[in-house]
């Protein structure tokens, strides 16, 4: 029995020691810098940036994390990327661990815009500056230095422009929206304002698709059933757009109904290349990540940084998809 | 003689083996997170003052740089005094965030104030603004940046981190009490994660309805009780299905998991509720006896009560009897339904309390709370030695199990192990614990 325990413990320690290998490099360089502090003028290692994103399941956030790591390496910061995986309590724990670790700055994509407040306040109290990426904190009492996100309102306007272009300024359209989140509301708002300028286009349905593929598939089916003369659908993100495409394929109406999406995920770009989606208003998660790190470096360098930076989207058509190197390698 | 010793050691390791693992883990993480960390506050100030006296001479003009919290204020005041007694000219002070400090340094340069040394607190040492200032302002090109040096400390074994671990695990540990009881009867409760969300949003919603930001302590207490009791009632409903209609616990509580989560979303319409006064965070963020967080104190009290329940009362003995052999218990005159119903209600109540603690920690109630917690709670009980087939389990074993999970998670976070690897390690730990449990059982029979 004793032997068994010893084997179990040894196994556990070995696993953990294995994990430590990769962390070892970081701490070694940090230690090196710290021992040089005797009147050192330029420490190479400036400290760590702790990051807690919404979820790693979405490639969007993964891109943000990767871009932050690249950008931070340029200016001597290391980046620790974690994700709350949509659990506000877990995200709070991650922030508390960052505080114990004494990181130089914290970047958050809150799992809950209100419940994140107490975690940010704890960081404020410990003197660690907090930045948000993509999703803002709505707690007024918690201090965030800067927020970097996609300009969803302008992006919605671009999507509206693409729709007018797709239909030649005339026809009946539907919107599959997601009013539970602010980004969804802003996209729909921008889209509708632009569409209102085209007198020939009429919005016949606006239903929520939960931002999810399966739900949007069903909603799109219902919309198609009710509107046999439909010409276009705007879906507020790529999962919704791809669900809509599936519904159109099933109904055999893909050639008659133009789909406009939002995001620029690889699968949607592929669908644009194949002509299934007319165009996407694409976001740039890598720019978001890079801009956050640039703000941190500026702020730590004593410069004032704007409290909000909006990253514009751009339209992505079939012509763009045919030139896209990321897609060429997929199809060949 | 030998058999007696081996029997004793077998008993010892089965009872305290996991405690040994926990201690080993703590020792391991203590050394693994050992790092250079200069003293902060007044101690850091006196160390820095001493080194300044040795180096550039007592005529140096010093600017003290720090942030604005209590510890940093202590550093500034102490350093000012130390420098004064050592005969330095009265130092300037630049306190605040990096832009504020830079502005102050620039204005000192503009005013022609001589600056030789910038003495920073350890937290500000790595700010790149000093390099930027040196290269852009000629008057400051020669400044020397100094911070307290030396000192090594384990990040894991710091007081703040130990509190942090206990605080992080309090919710899971409280819920694991209920789960241990359920598992001792041979059942399982999958609804606990959803009940955390349900109780949190109902509590937050009632506080909002009963005064919002101005809610009285009585109203908050009532709202919390309502949240806890509602979760207990859902547990009671599961118990009804299990005892009267003989639905397997896995199915009954799986159904209630869906119902609970759905209700939480209905109550909130999918949004989080945050119309809550700051005083509500007393439970989740306040500290009491011995500077322990209140939620941790509550957890300790509940564990002692649960231990007494399971070892000193008839109910406790019935619970073990039902899990060991329900048939035999029935023939022995035990009404099997009573202990069964009891454990599911307790599990619901504990999950409800977990929800109130979570709402208090986060000062908001959201239907996304508790996502996947049932797995952590079951893991805590299993790692702590509770058998999935019932009849066995110790309350304090579960507490140790919960701490093992918390320590591994926290330790790996402190060592920068990324979250994918963390999942693998946690999964292996659970598997290892169950494997040991099975081997132990096989040896005995």
């Amino acid at each position: 029995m004793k032997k068994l325990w010893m084997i179990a413990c040894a196994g556990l320690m070995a696993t953990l020691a294995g994990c430590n290998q990769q962390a070892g490099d970081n701490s070694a360089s940090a230690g090196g810098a710290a021992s040089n502090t005797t009147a050192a003028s330029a420490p190479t290692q400036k400290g760590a940036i702790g990051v807690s994103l919404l979820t790693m399941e979405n490639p969007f956030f993964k891109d943000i994390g990767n871009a932050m790591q690249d950008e931070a390496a340029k200016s001597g910061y290391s980046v620790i990327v974690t994700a709350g995986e949509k659990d506000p309590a877990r995200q709070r724990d991650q922030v508390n661990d960052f505080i114990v670790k004494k990181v130089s700055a914290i970047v958050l994509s809150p799992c809950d815009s209100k419940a994140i407040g107490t975690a940010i306040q704890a960081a404020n109290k410990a003197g660690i500056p907090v930045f948000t990426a993509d999703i803002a904190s709505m707690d007024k009492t918690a201090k965030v230095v800067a927020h970097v996100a996609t300009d969803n309102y302008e992006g919605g306007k671009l999507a509206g422009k693409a729709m007018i272009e797709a239909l030649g300024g005339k026809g009946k359209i539907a919107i599959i929206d997601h009013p539970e989140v602010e980004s969804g509301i802003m996209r729909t708002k921008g889209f509708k304002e632009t569409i209102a300028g085209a007198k020939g286009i009429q919005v016949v349905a606006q239903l929520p698709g939960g931002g999810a593929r399966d739900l949007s598939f069903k909603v799109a089916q219902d919309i198609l059933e009710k509107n046999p003369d439909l010409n276009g659908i705007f879906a507020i993100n790529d999962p919704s757009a791809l669900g809509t495409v599936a519904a159109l394929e099933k109904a055999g109406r893909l050639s008659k109904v133009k789909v406009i999406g939002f995001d620029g995920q690889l699968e949607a770009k592929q669908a644009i290349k194949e002509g299934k989606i007319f165009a996407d208003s694409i976001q740039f998660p890598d720019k978001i990540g890079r801009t956050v790190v640039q703000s941190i470096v500026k702020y730590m360098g004593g410069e004032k940084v704007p409290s909000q930076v909006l990253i514009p989207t751009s339209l992505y058509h079939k012509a763009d998809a045919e030139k896209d190197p990321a897609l060429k390698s997929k199809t060949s | 003689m030998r058999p007696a010793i081996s029997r004793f050691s077998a008993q010892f390791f089965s009872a305290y083996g996991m405690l040994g693992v926990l201690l080993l883990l703590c020792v391991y993480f203590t050394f693994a997170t050992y790092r250079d960390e200069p003293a902060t506050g007044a101690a850091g100030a006196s160390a820095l003052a001493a080194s300044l006296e040795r180096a550039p001479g007592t005529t140096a003009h010093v600017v003290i740089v720090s942030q604005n919290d209590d510890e940093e204020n202590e550093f500034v005041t102490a350093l000012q005094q130390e420098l004064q007694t050592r005969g330095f000219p009265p130092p300037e002070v630049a306190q605040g965030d990096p832009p504020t400090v830079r502005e102050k340094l620039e204005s000192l340069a503009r005013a022609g104030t001589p600056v030789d040394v910038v003495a920073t607190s350890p937290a500000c040492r790595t700010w790149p603004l000093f390099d930027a200032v040196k290269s852009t302002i000629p008057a400051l090109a020669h400044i020397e940046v100094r911070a307290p040096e030396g000192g090594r400390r384990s990040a894991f074994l710091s007081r703040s981190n130990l509190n942090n671990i206990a605080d992080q695990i309090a919710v899971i540990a409280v819920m694991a009490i209920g789960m241990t009881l359920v598992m001792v009867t041979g059942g399982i409760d999958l609804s606990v994660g959803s009940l955390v969300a349900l109780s949190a949003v109902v509590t937050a919603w009632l506080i909002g309805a009963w005064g919002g930001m101005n809610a009285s302590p009585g109203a908050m207490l009532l709202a919390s009780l309502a949240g806890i009791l509602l979760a207990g009632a859902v547990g009671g409903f599961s118990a009804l299905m299990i005892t009267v209609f003989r639905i397997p616990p896995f199915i009954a509580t799986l159904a209630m998991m869906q119902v609970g989560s759905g209700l939480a979303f209905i109550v909130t319409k999918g949004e989080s509720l945050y119309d809550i006064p700051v005083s509500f965070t007393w439970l989740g963020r306040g500290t009491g006896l011995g500077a322990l967080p209140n939620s941790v104190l509550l957890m300790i009290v509940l564990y002692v009560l649960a231990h007494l329940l399971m070892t000193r009362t008839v109910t406790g003995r019935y619970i073990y009897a039902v899990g060991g052999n329900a048939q035999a218990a029935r023939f022995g005159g035990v009404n099997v339904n009573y202990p069964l119903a009891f454990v599911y209600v307790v599990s619901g109540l504990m999950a409800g309390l977990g929800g109130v603690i979570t709402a208090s920690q986060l000062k908001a109630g959201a239907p996304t709370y508790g996502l996947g917690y049932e797995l952590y709670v079951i893991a805590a009980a299993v790692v702590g030695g509770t058998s999935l087939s019932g009849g066995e389990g110790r309350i304090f074993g579960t507490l140790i199990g919960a701490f093992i999970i918390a320590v591994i998670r926290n330790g790996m976070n402190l060592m920068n192990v990324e979250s994918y690897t963390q999942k693998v390690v946690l999964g292996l730990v659970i598997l290892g614990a169950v494997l040991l449990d099975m081997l132990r059982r096989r040896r005995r029979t």
Side-chain angles (χ1 to χ4, degrees), chain A residues 69 73 97 131 186 209 223 248 262 270 313 318 322:
Chain A
Q69 257 157 351
D97 287 340
F131 297 73
M186 295 314 283
I223 291 174
L248 286 171
F262 202 113
Q270 187 66 42
T313 62
K318 196 172 179 193
E322 270 152 10

Side-chain angles (χ1 to χ4, degrees), chain A residues 20-315:
Chain A
N20 195 23
Q21 299 271 289
Q22 70 205 61
D25 302 345
N26 291 346
S27 53
S29 58
S35 58
N36 280 337
T37 41
T38 12
S41 53
T44 46
Q45 177 73 25
K46 296 208 182 78
I49 300 171
V51 182
S52 175
L53 299 170
L54 175 66
T55 169
M56 280 301 177
E57 279 166 25
N58 190 336
F60 181 81
F61 289 102
K62 235 168 135 180
D63 289 349
I64 292 183
N66 291 342
M68 278 200 264
Q69 257 157 351
D70 289 349
E71 187 68 27
K74 288 183 203 159
S75 40
Y77 282 98
S78 64
V79 177
I80 308 157
V81 182
T82 63
E85 297 302 341
K86 298 184 180 170
D87 178 357
R90 187 162 162 201
Q91 193 162 46
R92 164 186 167 271
D93 292 349
Q94 286 167 342
V95 172
N96 282 338
D97 287 340
F98 288 147
I99 294 171
V100 168
K101 255 195 221 165
K102 305 196 170 172
V103 295
S104 304
I106 292 175
V107 180
L108 299 171
S109 297
C111 294
D112 186 296
S113 292
K114 281 127 193 174
I116 195 67
T118 59
I120 298 178
Q121 280 167 350
N124 289 158
K125 218 177 137 203
I128 300 173
V130 177
F131 297 73
T132 51
D134 187 54
I135 306 164
S137 153
M138 303 243 229
D139 190 322
K140 295 271 186 298
T141 55
K143 197 188 153 229
V144 173
V145 177
H147 173 61
V148 181
T150 294
D151 192 341
N152 286 301
Y153 173 69
E154 282 298 325
K157 281 187 156 178
L158 277 184
K161 236 177 78 184
M163 182 62 91
I164 295 171
E165 182 197 332
L167 301 188
K170 207 163 82 58
K172 289 183 177 173
I173 62 161
I175 300 171
I176 297 182
D177 65 356
H178 186 32
E180 276 87 357
V181 296
E182 213 218 337
S183 56
I185 297 169
M186 295 314 283
R187 288 173 195 180
T188 311
K189 187 169 175 247
F191 178 83
K192 285 176 93 171
E193 281 181 21
T194 306
I195 288 295
K199 294 278 177 285
I201 295 183
Q202 187 192 353
V203 179
V204 293
Q206 181 178 348
L207 289 168
R213 196 167 181 153
D214 48 352
L215 204 63
S216 300
F217 172 70
K218 288 175 199 150
V219 168
Q221 278 184 320
D222 293 346
I223 291 174
L224 290 174
E225 203 59 51
K226 209 178 150 200
N227 302 286
D229 53 349
L230 199 72
N231 305 105
I233 295 178
F234 169 53
I236 53 87
N237 69 358
D238 276 346
S240 312
L242 290 165
T244 304
V245 166
L248 286 171
E249 277 176 335
K250 199 174 167 210
R253 287 164 66 180
L254 198 55
S255 57
K256 296 189 191 95
V257 181
K258 302 274 190 250
V259 179
I260 308 289
F262 202 113
D263 271 352
Q265 290 177 5
L266 204 60
E267 198 183 346
K269 285 181 173 173
Q270 187 66 42
I272 290 172
K273 191 177 182 181
E274 291 162 12
K276 292 174 178 172
I277 296 177
F278 180 78
D280 246 27
S281 188
I282 60 170
Q283 310 194 69
F284 299 96
D286 53 329
K287 261 188 210 163
I288 295 179
R290 257 194 280 283
T291 310
V292 173
V293 172
Q294 285 159 1
S295 299
I296 292 173
V297 172
K298 267 193 192 161
Y299 176 81
M300 300 307 279
E303 289 176 49
K304 292 226 165 60
V305 293
S307 62
Q308 175 165 288
V309 182
L310 292 178
I311 308 288
T313 62
S314 72
L315 276 182

Side-chain angles (χ1 to χ4, degrees), chain B residues 105-164:
Chain B
L105 288 176
E106 284 170 351
S107 79
L108 284 176
R110 269 199 305 276
T113 316
V115 179
D116 304 313
V117 174
V118 171
T120 82
S121 67
C124 309
R125 175 66 193 85
T126 56
W127 286 0
L129 81 89
F130 304 119
D131 291 339
V133 164
K134 275 185 184 179
S135 56
T136 53
I137 305 168
L140 297 175
H142 67 284
I143 55 165
E144 200 183 312
V145 182
R146 301 287 296 265
E149 287 159 33
R152 285 175 68 76
R153 206 175 61 102
S154 166
F156 177 82
L157 206 62
S158 66
R159 189 191 172 89
S160 65
N161 190 50
L162 294 182
N163 267 351
N164 186 18

